[in-house]
Amino acid sequence: MALHTDLLDIRATYMRAPDSCFWVAEAGGAVVGMVAVAPPQDPSQRGVALELKRMSVSKDYRGRGISKALCGEVLRFAQARGYGAVVLYTSVVQVVAQRLYEGQGFRKVGTSSPSLLASLLCFQIFHYRCDLPGRPLSPAPPR
């Protein structure tokens, strides 16, 4: 679905919009990873945090620190612009991603279910937040 929304025009969505950016990792002339950052969907977080989005690394390149480096770029980008936090959303099935984010200082601050069917299937979306150094800690959003 992302290929029909924000990833359809990366330049307009992430490169021209204020406080947004898009990074790729390359190996051998090919894109092997990507991540984006943008103002959060949640209006209560706007102006306080940026949202990490679209983290992906090719299966053949996982375990080489690419995700960690991409995540670090997002954190530095947000901090350089004076934001106090980075937020993200990941699913219950993305266990490796959860470990990566927790290892980078993110903490789980909430859960939600995208639909009634998802609730029945116990499928959850986890909300994560990483408070950035040098800024006062803002309260986590209500669960």
Side-chain angles (χ1 to χ4, degrees), residues 8-64:
L8 184 63
D9 190 349
I10 292 168
R11 188 176 309 274
T13 304
Y14 296 111
M15 303 307 292
R16 292 187 189 138
D19 293 332
S20 298
C21 199
F22 191 91
W23 293 267
V24 296
E26 295 181 349
V31 173
V32 298
M34 67 178 186
V35 70
V37 68
Q41 297 280 334
D42 179 353
S44 72
Q45 294 295 311
R46 291 196 187 130
V48 176
L50 289 178
E51 183 176 340
L52 183 151
K53 304 175 79 164
R54 307 295 179 220
M55 173 72 80
S56 179
V57 172
S58 172
K59 286 183 175 133
D60 294 339
Y61 287 87
R62 291 180 186 164
R64 300 182 188 192

Side-chain angles (χ1 to χ4, degrees), residues 10-139:
I10 292 168
R11 188 176 309 274
T13 304
Y14 296 111
M15 303 307 292
R16 292 187 189 138
D19 293 332
S20 298
C21 199
F22 191 91
W23 293 267
V24 296
E26 295 181 349
V31 173
V32 298
M34 67 178 186
V35 70
V37 68
Q41 297 280 334
D42 179 353
S44 72
Q45 294 295 311
R46 291 196 187 130
V48 176
L50 289 178
E51 183 176 340
L52 183 151
K53 304 175 79 164
R54 307 295 179 220
M55 173 72 80
S56 179
V57 172
S58 172
K59 286 183 175 133
D60 294 339
Y61 287 87
R62 291 180 186 164
R64 300 182 188 192
I66 294 171
S67 294
K68 186 176 179 180
L70 290 169
C71 186
E73 285 300 316
V74 169
L75 296 174
R76 283 187 289 281
F77 180 89
Q79 188 171 24
R81 280 154 184 76
Y83 284 90
V86 173
V87 296
L88 65 86
Y89 303 88
T90 192
S91 73
V92 65
V93 298
Q94 299 291 330
V95 177
V96 173
Q98 292 168 41
R99 283 196 303 255
L100 165 76
Y101 298 134
E102 290 166 1
Q104 294 295 298
F106 285 84
R107 59 188 168 81
K108 195 183 308 178
V109 295
T111 60
S112 63
S113 193
S115 68
L116 178 59
L117 177 60
S119 293
L120 294 171
L121 297 173
C122 297
F123 182 83
Q124 293 182 315
I125 300 295
F126 294 150
H127 307 219
Y128 277 87
R129 177 183 181 94
C130 179
D131 289 303
L132 299 171
R135 293 285 307 239
L137 297 178
S138 55

